[in-house]
């Protein structure tokens, strides 16, 4: 178990606590943040599947099929592998995300 923190290219931040098989993340994503621009380009990786919960702000999640879903405070969501996501509007988005560690699921 352990905690990891990241600061993305635009200054948005994410922290994740890793348990034996599962992780819990908390992200504060700034207006203008977009996964493909501020995380994918930084890491060179594709997005992975995870589940999340929006505490404040709004986010758009775009699946690899092109379908877009807007989520806001109190909404839970599932994002499949290969998705993109971005903050909608002028308010930062505070979100939790949950998933299984790659080497256990």
């Amino acid at each position: 178990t352990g905690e990891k923190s990241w600061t993305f290219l635009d200054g948005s931040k994410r922290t994740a606590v890793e348990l034996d098989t599962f992780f819990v993340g908390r992200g504060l994503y700034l207006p203008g943040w977009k996964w493909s621009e501020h995380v994918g380009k930084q890491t060179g990786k594709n997005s992975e599947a995870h589940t999340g919960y929006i505490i404040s702000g709004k986010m758009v999640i775009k699946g690899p099929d092109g379908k877009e879903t807007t989520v806001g405070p109190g909404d839970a969501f599932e994002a499949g592998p290969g998705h993109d996501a971005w903050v909608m509007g002028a308010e930062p988005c505070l979100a939790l995300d949950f998933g299984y560690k790659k080497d256990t699921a």
Side-chain angles (χ1 to χ4, degrees):
T1 62
E3 183 173 297
K4 295 181 180 179
S5 295
W6 300 265
T7 299
F8 300 117
L9 295 173
D10 70 325
S12 294
K13 296 182 185 223
R14 181 173 178 274
T15 301
V17 176
E18 293 188 351
L19 306 172
D20 289 338
T21 61
F22 202 73
F23 71 82
V24 177
R26 178 186 183 275
L28 180 61
Y29 306 100
L30 301 176
W33 176 87
K34 187 171 186 177
W35 195 95
S36 58
E37 293 294 316
H38 300 108
V39 183
K41 284 186 178 178
Q42 182 176 356
T43 64
K45 297 178 181 178
N46 291 321
S47 61
E48 297 179 6
H50 61 96
T51 303
Y53 181 83
I54 305 296
I55 296 171
S56 63
K58 289 186 179 179
M59 188 172 286
V60 177
I61 301 164
K62 183 177 181 178
D65 61 359
K67 181 182 175 193
E68 293 184 6
T69 303
T70 301
V71 290
D75 289 337
F77 65 88
E78 288 185 272
H83 68 278
D84 200 359
W86 57 89
V87 172
M88 181 179 189
E91 181 183 352
C93 183
L94 179 60
L96 301 176
D97 64 287
F98 315 91
Y100 288 99
K101 290 170 57 176
K102 276 197 326 190
D103 55 352
T104 62

XYZ file of all heavy atoms in Angstrom:
797
model
N 0.842 -1.182 0.000
C 0.000 0.000 0.000
C 0.882 1.238 0.000
O 2.001 1.227 0.479
C -0.926 0.022 1.228
O -0.128 0.079 2.400
C -1.854 -1.166 1.266
N 0.335 2.317 -0.541
C 1.089 3.549 -0.571
C 0.322 4.630 -1.285
O -0.692 4.380 -1.928
N 0.816 5.847 -1.156
C 0.174 6.992 -1.785
C 1.100 7.539 -2.856
O 2.308 7.631 -2.649
C -0.130 8.061 -0.735
C -0.864 9.251 -1.305
C -1.305 10.225 -0.223
O -2.120 9.829 0.624
O -0.811 11.357 -0.244
N 0.503 7.893 -3.990
C 1.249 8.502 -5.085
C 0.549 9.793 -5.465
O -0.675 9.888 -5.384
C 1.288 7.573 -6.300
C 2.041 6.283 -6.060
C 2.057 5.442 -7.315
C 2.792 4.147 -7.098
N 2.813 3.302 -8.294
N 1.326 10.793 -5.899
C 0.757 12.066 -6.323
C 1.339 12.465 -7.666
O 2.505 12.170 -7.958
C 1.073 13.162 -5.300
O 0.449 12.891 -4.079
N 0.516 13.119 -8.462
C 0.930 13.616 -9.771
C 0.465 15.046 -9.923
O -0.599 15.422 -9.445
C 0.276 12.823 -10.900
C 0.567 11.377 -10.925
C 1.541 10.742 -11.650
C -0.123 10.336 -10.217
N 1.493 9.381 -11.422
C 0.477 9.110 -10.546
C -1.200 10.327 -9.330
C 0.046 7.901 -10.035
C -1.628 9.121 -8.811
C -1.002 7.928 -9.167
N 1.266 15.840 -10.614
C 0.836 17.161 -11.075
C 0.943 17.107 -12.590
O 1.993 16.766 -13.143
C 1.737 18.272 -10.505
O 1.639 18.238 -9.077
C 1.287 19.633 -11.009
N -0.161 17.427 -13.256
C -0.208 17.327 -14.710
C 0.291 18.613 -15.363
O 0.558 19.610 -14.687
C -1.622 16.969 -15.156
C -2.079 15.658 -14.574
C -3.160 15.602 -13.712
C -1.414 14.482 -14.858
C -3.576 14.400 -13.162
C -1.813 13.272 -14.318
C -2.897 13.235 -13.468
N 0.431 18.595 -16.674
C 1.032 19.694 -17.418
C 0.340 21.030 -17.183
O 0.972 22.073 -17.255
C 1.031 19.375 -18.919
C 1.900 18.185 -19.343
C 1.689 17.869 -20.812
C 3.363 18.468 -19.050
N -0.958 21.019 -16.880
C -1.700 22.266 -16.677
C -1.781 22.673 -15.211
O -2.413 23.662 -14.878
C -3.110 22.137 -17.240
C -3.976 21.204 -16.419
O -3.442 20.206 -15.888
O -5.188 21.471 -16.286
N -1.176 21.901 -14.303
C -1.222 22.204 -12.889
C -2.292 21.442 -12.123
O -2.369 21.535 -10.901
N -3.155 20.696 -12.823
C -4.138 19.851 -12.146
C -3.390 18.792 -11.343
O -2.265 18.419 -11.688
C -5.057 19.178 -13.162
O -5.854 20.145 -13.832
N -4.029 18.290 -10.274
C -3.343 17.351 -9.384
C -4.212 16.137 -9.107
O -5.430 16.236 -9.035
C -3.002 18.031 -8.064
C -2.030 19.168 -8.243
C -1.660 19.808 -6.935
C -0.774 21.007 -7.236
N 0.337 21.143 -6.401
N -3.564 15.010 -8.930
C -4.244 13.769 -8.575
C -3.391 13.018 -7.566
O -2.166 12.961 -7.690
C -4.459 12.897 -9.806
C -5.189 11.601 -9.497
C -5.526 10.843 -10.785
N -6.174 9.598 -10.468
C -5.554 8.457 -10.192
N -4.235 8.404 -10.219
N -6.224 7.370 -9.911
N -4.056 12.463 -6.580
C -3.413 11.619 -5.579
C -4.138 10.287 -5.579
O -5.366 10.251 -5.712
C -3.508 12.262 -4.177
O -2.875 13.536 -4.224
C -2.835 11.414 -3.133
N -3.419 9.202 -5.441
C -4.043 7.880 -5.369
C -3.436 7.096 -4.219
O -2.228 7.132 -4.002
C -3.847 7.107 -6.680
N -4.300 6.424 -3.502
C -3.884 5.514 -2.447
C -4.048 4.110 -3.000
O -5.137 3.745 -3.457
C -4.721 5.709 -1.167
C -4.330 4.674 -0.120
C -4.545 7.113 -0.631
N -2.979 3.349 -2.995
C -3.026 1.985 -3.501
C -3.113 1.004 -2.341
O -2.276 1.016 -1.443
C -1.792 1.689 -4.348
C -1.759 2.479 -5.631
C -0.638 2.043 -6.550
O 0.236 1.243 -6.124
O -0.624 2.499 -7.700
N -4.157 0.194 -2.379
C -4.313 -0.888 -1.421
C -3.739 -2.143 -2.068
O -3.115 -2.058 -3.126
C -5.788 -1.028 -1.065
C -6.434 0.282 -0.564
C -7.930 0.111 -0.410
C -5.797 0.733 0.728
N -3.948 -3.299 -1.501
C -3.369 -4.514 -2.077
C -3.839 -4.773 -3.502
O -3.046 -5.128 -4.371
C -3.677 -5.726 -1.196
C -2.888 -5.693 0.110
O -1.837 -5.012 0.160
O -3.331 -6.326 1.078
N -5.137 -4.629 -3.770
C -5.666 -4.947 -5.095
C -6.413 -3.801 -5.743
O -6.804 -3.896 -6.898
C -6.628 -6.150 -5.025
O -7.725 -5.822 -4.166
C -5.917 -7.393 -4.503
N -6.618 -2.713 -5.025
C -7.524 -1.654 -5.447
C -6.841 -0.309 -5.244
O -5.944 -0.176 -4.425
C -8.773 -1.742 -4.536
C -10.020 -1.137 -5.077
C -10.726 -1.740 -6.095
C -10.513 0.032 -4.531
C -11.896 -1.197 -6.567
C -11.686 0.596 -5.001
C -12.383 -0.025 -6.024
N -7.283 0.714 -5.993
C -6.799 2.065 -5.733
C -7.977 3.014 -5.587
O -9.049 2.780 -6.131
C -5.846 2.555 -6.835
C -6.523 2.848 -8.146
C -7.172 4.053 -8.372
C -6.504 1.907 -9.159
C -7.789 4.307 -9.580
C -7.120 2.153 -10.376
C -7.768 3.366 -10.582
N -7.763 4.085 -4.834
C -8.722 5.169 -4.689
C -7.975 6.448 -5.023
O -6.930 6.736 -4.431
C -9.292 5.246 -3.254
C -10.239 6.434 -3.123
C -9.988 3.954 -2.873
N -8.493 7.194 -5.991
C -7.842 8.422 -6.409
C -8.707 9.633 -6.111
O -9.926 9.539 -6.002
N -8.038 10.781 -5.978
C -8.718 12.064 -5.791
C -8.032 13.046 -6.710
O -6.812 13.244 -6.619
C -8.607 12.530 -4.344
C -9.247 13.874 -4.073
C -8.958 14.312 -2.624
N -9.598 15.552 -2.288
C -9.101 16.761 -2.536
N -7.936 16.877 -3.155
N -9.760 17.837 -2.183
N -8.813 13.641 -7.604
C -8.231 14.583 -8.543
C -8.893 15.939 -8.485
O -10.118 16.032 -8.343
N -8.097 16.984 -8.565
C -8.599 18.338 -8.724
C -8.138 18.792 -10.104
O -6.944 19.044 -10.329
C -8.057 19.274 -7.639
C -8.564 20.719 -7.751
C -10.101 20.771 -7.616
C -7.917 21.595 -6.704
N -9.097 18.849 -11.030
C -8.826 19.136 -12.437
C -9.249 20.572 -12.733
O -10.394 20.950 -12.478
C -9.550 18.125 -13.320
C -9.202 16.708 -12.939
C -10.063 15.941 -12.155
C -7.986 16.157 -13.310
C -9.728 14.644 -11.774
C -7.640 14.858 -12.927
C -8.517 14.121 -12.170
O -8.180 12.844 -11.789
N -8.328 21.357 -13.250
C -8.551 22.777 -13.478
C -9.340 23.011 -14.766
O -9.321 22.176 -15.671
C -7.205 23.495 -13.556
C -6.313 23.367 -12.313
C -4.974 24.037 -12.558
C -7.017 23.942 -11.091
N -10.030 24.168 -14.861
C -10.722 24.496 -16.119
C -9.743 24.410 -17.290
O -8.592 24.858 -17.190
C -11.192 25.931 -15.888
C -11.320 26.048 -14.402
C -10.197 25.205 -13.848
N -10.178 23.806 -18.368
C -9.325 23.609 -19.538
C -8.578 22.287 -19.545
O -8.006 21.894 -20.561
N -8.579 21.557 -18.397
C -7.896 20.266 -18.336
C -8.557 19.267 -19.286
O -9.778 19.191 -19.369
C -7.939 19.711 -16.915
C -7.333 18.342 -16.778
C -6.024 18.058 -16.548
C -8.005 17.085 -16.845
N -5.844 16.698 -16.476
C -7.055 16.072 -16.657
C -9.334 16.720 -17.060
C -7.370 14.731 -16.677
C -9.659 15.369 -17.081
C -8.676 14.395 -16.892
N -7.726 18.513 -19.995
C -8.204 17.442 -20.876
C -7.230 16.280 -20.773
O -6.010 16.478 -20.894
C -8.302 17.942 -22.319
C -8.944 16.934 -23.262
C -9.213 17.543 -24.624
C -9.986 16.568 -25.489
N -10.322 17.141 -26.793
N -7.760 15.086 -20.547
C -6.908 13.917 -20.341
C -5.899 13.749 -21.470
O -4.697 13.595 -21.227
C -7.744 12.640 -20.173
C -6.928 11.526 -19.601
C -6.843 11.176 -18.299
C -6.022 10.666 -20.302
N -5.937 10.149 -18.134
C -5.430 9.823 -19.360
C -5.649 10.532 -21.633
C -4.490 8.849 -19.708
C -4.710 9.573 -21.982
C -4.149 8.742 -21.016
N -6.370 13.759 -22.717
C -5.472 13.496 -23.849
C -4.366 14.539 -23.969
O -3.257 14.219 -24.402
C -6.266 13.409 -25.151
O -6.994 14.603 -25.366
N -4.644 15.780 -23.569
C -3.658 16.856 -23.682
C -2.725 16.930 -22.480
O -1.537 17.202 -22.635
C -4.377 18.208 -23.837
C -5.132 18.338 -25.142
C -4.209 18.349 -26.345
O -3.170 19.041 -26.303
O -4.513 17.655 -27.329
N -3.267 16.740 -21.281
C -2.496 17.027 -20.072
C -2.008 15.791 -19.324
O -1.206 15.917 -18.407
C -3.316 17.919 -19.141
C -3.677 19.218 -19.789
N -4.956 19.515 -20.193
C -2.903 20.259 -20.147
C -4.964 20.714 -20.758
N -3.729 21.185 -20.747
N -2.512 14.620 -19.683
C -2.047 13.389 -19.043
C -1.444 12.460 -20.090
O -0.310 12.026 -19.965
C -3.188 12.669 -18.282
C -2.651 11.438 -17.574
C -3.863 13.608 -17.307
N -2.204 12.154 -21.126
C -1.736 11.246 -22.168
C -0.413 11.687 -22.783
O 0.502 10.889 -22.958
N -0.297 12.984 -23.084
C 0.958 13.497 -23.667
C 2.098 13.436 -22.666
O 3.248 13.243 -23.038
C 0.764 14.925 -24.170
C 0.001 15.002 -25.460
C -0.033 16.412 -25.991
C -0.774 16.452 -27.323
N -0.857 17.816 -27.852
N 1.786 13.594 -21.381
C 2.820 13.569 -20.335
C 3.293 12.144 -20.070
O 4.479 11.904 -19.864
C 2.268 14.198 -19.054
C 3.258 14.272 -17.919
C 2.679 14.994 -16.694
O 1.576 15.491 -16.705
N 3.449 15.025 -15.628
N 2.362 11.191 -20.082
C 2.701 9.819 -19.713
C 2.995 8.924 -20.914
O 3.622 7.885 -20.757
C 1.552 9.173 -18.918
O 0.400 9.079 -19.770
C 1.226 9.967 -17.673
N 2.478 9.301 -22.088
C 2.627 8.450 -23.266
C 1.756 7.210 -23.209
O 1.957 6.267 -23.966
N 0.763 7.200 -22.309
C -0.102 6.034 -22.127
C -1.524 6.333 -22.574
O -1.934 7.494 -22.656
C -0.136 5.626 -20.650
C 1.200 5.186 -20.108
C 1.090 4.838 -18.640
C 2.442 4.407 -18.077
N 2.352 4.111 -16.646
N -2.280 5.272 -22.834
C -3.703 5.388 -23.100
C -4.456 5.349 -21.780
O -3.975 4.798 -20.792
C -4.183 4.246 -23.993
C -3.643 4.360 -25.395
O -3.552 5.453 -25.954
N -3.272 3.240 -25.977
N -5.659 5.903 -21.764
C -6.460 5.886 -20.544
C -6.928 4.470 -20.236
O -7.152 3.666 -21.138
C -7.658 6.824 -20.680
O -8.485 6.412 -21.740
N -7.071 4.192 -18.953
C -7.499 2.874 -18.491
C -8.911 2.960 -17.923
O -9.394 4.041 -17.587
C -6.528 2.367 -17.430
C -5.125 2.175 -17.966
C -4.148 1.697 -16.911
O -4.569 1.407 -15.781
O -2.963 1.615 -17.233
N -9.553 1.819 -17.794
C -10.898 1.762 -17.234
C -10.876 2.104 -15.748
O -9.964 1.702 -15.032
C -11.483 0.369 -17.441
N -11.868 2.867 -15.324
C -12.051 3.144 -13.901
C -13.470 3.650 -13.668
O -14.188 3.964 -14.601
C -11.002 4.119 -13.362
C -11.012 5.458 -14.015
N -11.678 6.528 -13.499
C -10.438 5.897 -15.151
C -11.517 7.574 -14.294
N -10.768 7.221 -15.300
N -13.840 3.701 -12.409
C -15.141 4.188 -11.979
C -14.889 5.442 -11.171
O -13.857 5.556 -10.507
C -15.822 3.122 -11.100
O -15.918 1.913 -11.860
C -17.200 3.548 -10.676
N -15.819 6.395 -11.213
C -15.582 7.629 -10.487
C -16.841 8.241 -9.901
O -17.955 7.785 -10.150
N -16.620 9.303 -9.132
C -17.696 10.040 -8.477
C -17.305 11.516 -8.461
O -16.198 11.861 -8.021
C -17.889 9.526 -7.047
C -18.991 10.221 -6.299
C -20.320 9.836 -6.462
C -18.711 11.269 -5.429
C -21.336 10.486 -5.776
C -19.718 11.917 -4.738
C -21.032 11.524 -4.919
O -22.033 12.168 -4.239
N -18.184 12.372 -8.956
C -17.902 13.803 -9.025
C -18.377 14.485 -7.739
O -19.548 14.366 -7.365
C -18.597 14.452 -10.244
C -18.205 13.742 -11.546
C -18.286 15.947 -10.308
C -16.746 13.833 -11.919
N -17.473 15.211 -7.095
C -17.814 15.954 -5.883
C -18.257 17.372 -6.244
O -19.255 17.869 -5.737
C -16.623 15.976 -4.913
C -16.328 14.541 -4.463
C -16.915 16.881 -3.717
C -15.058 14.389 -3.685
N -17.525 18.035 -7.127
C -17.891 19.379 -7.566
C -17.379 19.612 -8.978
O -16.469 18.942 -9.441
C -17.341 20.435 -6.605
O -15.924 20.405 -6.595
N -17.980 20.571 -9.661
C -17.608 20.863 -11.036
C -18.257 19.878 -11.998
O -19.067 19.037 -11.603
N -17.892 20.000 -13.265
C -18.449 19.125 -14.303
C -17.336 18.604 -15.196
O -16.322 19.274 -15.416
C -19.462 19.874 -15.173
C -20.746 20.191 -14.457
C -21.750 20.797 -15.417
C -23.047 21.081 -14.694
N -24.026 21.679 -15.601
N -17.559 17.410 -15.717
C -16.601 16.779 -16.614
C -17.371 16.087 -17.735
O -18.476 15.583 -17.520
C -15.746 15.771 -15.846
C -14.602 15.203 -16.652
S -13.479 14.183 -15.647
C -12.627 15.447 -14.711
N -16.781 16.070 -18.912
C -17.315 15.318 -20.042
C -16.416 14.109 -20.233
O -15.190 14.234 -20.242
C -17.347 16.163 -21.330
C -17.842 15.332 -22.501
C -18.214 17.393 -21.144
N -17.030 12.941 -20.379
C -16.282 11.706 -20.633
C -16.691 11.232 -22.027
O -17.884 11.086 -22.313
C -16.602 10.632 -19.586
C -16.249 11.167 -18.195
C -15.851 9.337 -19.892
C -16.842 10.380 -17.071
N -15.700 11.023 -22.885
C -15.948 10.583 -24.257
C -15.375 9.192 -24.437
O -14.166 8.980 -24.306
C -15.305 11.555 -25.247
C -15.568 11.203 -26.694
C -14.959 12.252 -27.609
C -15.232 11.947 -29.067
N -14.672 13.003 -29.938
N -16.249 8.241 -24.717
C -15.820 6.872 -24.938
C -15.129 6.711 -26.275
O -15.241 7.574 -27.154
N -14.433 5.592 -26.474
C -13.758 5.350 -27.752
C -14.744 5.253 -28.912
O -14.365 5.418 -30.063
C -12.995 4.046 -27.540
C -13.501 3.470 -26.274
C -14.192 4.542 -25.507
N -16.044 5.026 -28.591
C -17.078 4.985 -29.625
C -17.583 6.369 -29.998
O -18.452 6.516 -30.856
C -18.253 4.117 -29.164
C -18.920 4.645 -27.899
O -18.479 5.676 -27.338
O -19.905 4.022 -27.457
N -17.066 7.424 -29.323
C -17.466 8.792 -29.616
C -18.616 9.306 -28.765
O -18.940 10.485 -28.808
N -19.229 8.447 -27.965
C -20.348 8.865 -27.121
C -19.829 9.724 -25.969
O -18.896 9.339 -25.273
C -21.086 7.653 -26.565
C -22.271 8.021 -25.703
C -22.961 6.805 -25.134
C -24.066 7.245 -24.184
N -24.563 6.143 -23.381
N -20.460 10.889 -25.776
C -20.071 11.804 -24.714
C -21.118 11.804 -23.604
O -22.309 11.821 -23.875
C -19.904 13.226 -25.253
C -18.745 13.377 -26.206
C -18.525 14.813 -26.665
O -19.209 15.731 -26.155
O -17.675 15.008 -27.545
N -20.646 11.792 -22.360
C -21.506 11.859 -21.187
C -20.991 12.972 -20.293
O -19.787 13.036 -20.012
C -21.467 10.524 -20.408
O -21.843 9.473 -21.292
C -22.395 10.549 -19.219
N -21.886 13.862 -19.867
C -21.515 14.931 -18.940
C -21.909 14.506 -17.536
O -23.031 14.050 -17.310
C -22.219 16.246 -19.315
O -21.843 16.609 -20.648
C -21.819 17.368 -18.367
N -20.983 14.640 -16.597
C -21.233 14.282 -15.201
C -20.928 15.491 -14.320
O -20.047 16.296 -14.625
C -20.406 13.054 -14.768
C -20.916 11.794 -15.448
C -18.929 13.234 -15.054
N -21.697 15.596 -13.232
C -21.530 16.707 -12.304
C -21.670 16.230 -10.878
O -21.707 15.014 -10.609
N -21.782 17.157 -9.942
C -21.816 16.817 -8.515
C -22.842 15.732 -8.187
O -24.002 15.808 -8.599
C -22.190 18.133 -7.840
C -21.702 19.179 -8.792
C -21.916 18.602 -10.162
N -22.383 14.688 -7.494
C -23.250 13.587 -7.098
C -23.384 12.493 -8.134
O -24.023 11.475 -7.875
N -22.783 12.664 -9.307
C -22.867 11.640 -10.357
C -21.723 10.644 -10.232
O -20.571 11.030 -10.034
C -22.782 12.268 -11.757
C -24.017 13.057 -12.133
O -25.096 12.795 -11.557
O -23.901 13.936 -13.014
N -22.067 9.379 -10.378
C -21.063 8.315 -10.495
C -20.930 7.987 -11.976
O -21.866 8.171 -12.756
C -21.491 7.094 -9.704
N -19.759 7.500 -12.374
C -19.546 7.174 -13.784
C -18.600 5.999 -13.929
O -17.835 5.693 -13.024
C -18.995 8.392 -14.551
C -17.628 8.822 -14.104
C -16.487 8.273 -14.668
C -17.474 9.781 -13.114
C -15.217 8.661 -14.250
C -16.212 10.186 -12.690
C -15.087 9.624 -13.264
N -18.674 5.369 -15.085
C -17.711 4.351 -15.492
C -17.078 4.818 -16.791
O -17.782 5.236 -17.708
C -18.395 3.005 -15.719
C -18.833 2.332 -14.448
C -19.387 0.949 -14.709
O -20.593 0.859 -14.968
O -18.607 -0.010 -14.668
N -15.779 4.762 -16.860
C -15.039 5.130 -18.056
C -14.266 3.905 -18.521
O -13.511 3.320 -17.751
C -14.092 6.286 -17.763
N -14.481 3.514 -19.760
C -13.795 2.350 -20.304
C -12.397 2.698 -20.780
O -12.017 3.873 -20.851
N -11.623 1.694 -21.118
C -10.276 1.951 -21.630
C -10.346 2.743 -22.933
O -11.261 2.573 -23.725
C -9.694 0.555 -21.849
C -10.863 -0.360 -21.913
C -11.965 0.273 -21.122
N -9.397 3.637 -23.119
C -9.332 4.427 -24.342
C -10.240 5.645 -24.345
O -10.432 6.266 -25.382
N -10.785 6.026 -23.198
C -11.663 7.198 -23.146
C -10.833 8.480 -23.090
O -9.638 8.452 -22.835
C -12.581 7.124 -21.918
C -11.861 7.265 -20.612
N -11.221 6.206 -19.997
C -11.653 8.346 -19.822
C -10.667 6.625 -18.875
N -10.906 7.923 -18.741
N -11.503 9.586 -23.326
C -10.928 10.907 -23.074
C -11.882 11.597 -22.104
O -13.038 11.179 -21.958
C -10.797 11.711 -24.367
C -9.798 12.859 -24.257
O -9.216 13.052 -23.170
O -9.601 13.570 -25.262
N -11.426 12.619 -21.430
C -12.265 13.357 -20.499
C -11.721 14.770 -20.380
O -10.527 14.999 -20.558
C -12.270 12.680 -19.126
N -12.629 15.727 -20.100
C -12.208 17.101 -19.925
C -13.171 17.834 -19.012
O -14.322 17.463 -18.859
C -12.074 17.819 -21.256
C -13.311 17.818 -22.104
C -14.327 18.747 -22.092
C -13.676 16.857 -23.096
N -15.286 18.408 -23.007
C -14.905 17.252 -23.647
C -13.061 15.694 -23.569
C -15.545 16.537 -24.644
C -13.708 14.980 -24.555
C -14.934 15.399 -25.095
N -12.639 18.890 -18.380
C -13.436 19.734 -17.494
C -14.327 20.614 -18.351
O -13.894 21.183 -19.351
C -12.525 20.595 -16.590
C -13.341 21.611 -15.801
C -11.729 19.700 -15.646
N -15.578 20.704 -17.944
C -16.548 21.544 -18.638
C -16.795 22.793 -17.795
O -17.071 22.685 -16.598
C -17.849 20.757 -18.815
C -18.925 21.491 -19.528
S -20.349 20.388 -19.664
C -21.346 21.347 -20.747
N -16.671 23.964 -18.401
C -16.967 25.202 -17.707
C -15.754 25.813 -17.022
O -14.621 25.359 -17.181
N -16.037 26.843 -16.203
C -14.976 27.636 -15.585
C -14.649 27.200 -14.161
O -13.779 27.780 -13.528
C -15.382 29.109 -15.595
N -15.327 26.185 -13.654
C -15.097 25.714 -12.288
C -14.215 24.462 -12.315
O -14.417 23.580 -13.153
C -16.447 25.369 -11.648
C -16.345 24.883 -10.221
C -17.698 24.469 -9.639
O -18.736 24.692 -10.265
O -17.683 23.884 -8.534
N -13.239 24.357 -11.404
C -12.463 23.111 -11.329
C -13.390 21.932 -11.023
O -14.469 22.111 -10.460
C -11.501 23.348 -10.162
C -11.439 24.823 -10.003
C -12.790 25.343 -10.417
N -12.964 20.750 -11.389
C -13.729 19.534 -11.123
C -12.965 18.717 -10.083
O -11.791 18.394 -10.279
C -13.916 18.735 -12.400
S -14.924 17.248 -12.174
N -13.644 18.408 -8.986
C -13.079 17.563 -7.940
C -13.750 16.200 -8.063
O -14.980 16.103 -7.987
C -13.326 18.171 -6.564
C -12.815 17.381 -5.365
C -11.304 17.180 -5.433
C -13.205 18.094 -4.069
N -12.959 15.171 -8.294
C -13.512 13.834 -8.550
C -12.717 12.762 -7.818
O -11.501 12.879 -7.643
C -13.500 13.543 -10.051
N -13.424 11.730 -7.425
C -12.803 10.523 -6.896
C -12.829 9.484 -7.999
O -13.735 9.468 -8.824
C -13.587 9.995 -5.691
C -13.733 10.952 -4.512
C -14.612 10.318 -3.434
C -12.371 11.314 -3.942
N -11.833 8.614 -8.038
C -11.882 7.495 -8.978
C -11.368 6.240 -8.291
O -10.594 6.305 -7.342
C -11.123 7.797 -10.271
C -9.637 7.991 -10.075
O -9.218 9.028 -9.537
O -8.884 7.092 -10.475
N -11.878 5.122 -8.758
C -11.636 3.831 -8.124
C -11.341 2.800 -9.200
O -11.925 2.833 -10.279
C -12.883 3.364 -7.360
C -13.516 4.435 -6.534
C -14.515 5.243 -7.055
C -13.116 4.648 -5.221
C -15.111 6.249 -6.294
C -13.699 5.648 -4.456
C -14.703 6.433 -4.988
N -10.468 1.857 -8.902
C -10.208 0.795 -9.861
C -9.302 -0.274 -9.259
O -8.735 -0.101 -8.183
N -9.198 -1.361 -9.996
C -8.305 -2.432 -9.593
C -6.920 -2.160 -10.127
O -6.758 -1.651 -11.244
C -8.795 -3.788 -10.119
C -10.015 -4.258 -9.379
C -11.281 -4.085 -9.917
C -9.899 -4.837 -8.124
C -12.412 -4.507 -9.213
C -11.011 -5.263 -7.427
C -12.270 -5.086 -7.974
O -13.356 -5.478 -7.286
N -5.926 -2.483 -9.337
C -4.547 -2.353 -9.797
C -4.341 -3.323 -10.954
O -4.871 -4.424 -10.953
C -3.584 -2.644 -8.648
C -3.611 -1.530 -7.601
C -2.876 -1.867 -6.335
C -1.449 -2.222 -6.543
N -0.734 -2.464 -5.289
N -3.573 -2.890 -11.955
C -3.408 -3.672 -13.183
C -2.911 -5.079 -12.947
O -3.334 -6.006 -13.617
C -2.459 -2.962 -14.141
C -3.153 -1.932 -14.947
C -2.439 -1.457 -16.180
C -0.974 -1.361 -16.224
N -0.496 -0.676 -17.408
N -2.030 -5.277 -11.998
C -1.430 -6.589 -11.835
C -2.294 -7.543 -11.008
O -1.911 -8.666 -10.743
C -0.038 -6.478 -11.196
C -0.055 -5.726 -9.871
O -1.100 -5.162 -9.504
O 0.992 -5.721 -9.202
N -3.514 -7.107 -10.604
C -4.360 -7.962 -9.786
C -5.708 -8.242 -10.414
O -6.456 -9.061 -9.892
C -4.587 -7.338 -8.401
O -5.260 -6.095 -8.566
C -3.283 -7.144 -7.656
N -6.073 -7.555 -11.469
C -7.398 -7.758 -12.060
C -7.304 -8.068 -13.532
O -6.348 -7.800 -14.172
C -8.248 -6.506 -11.846
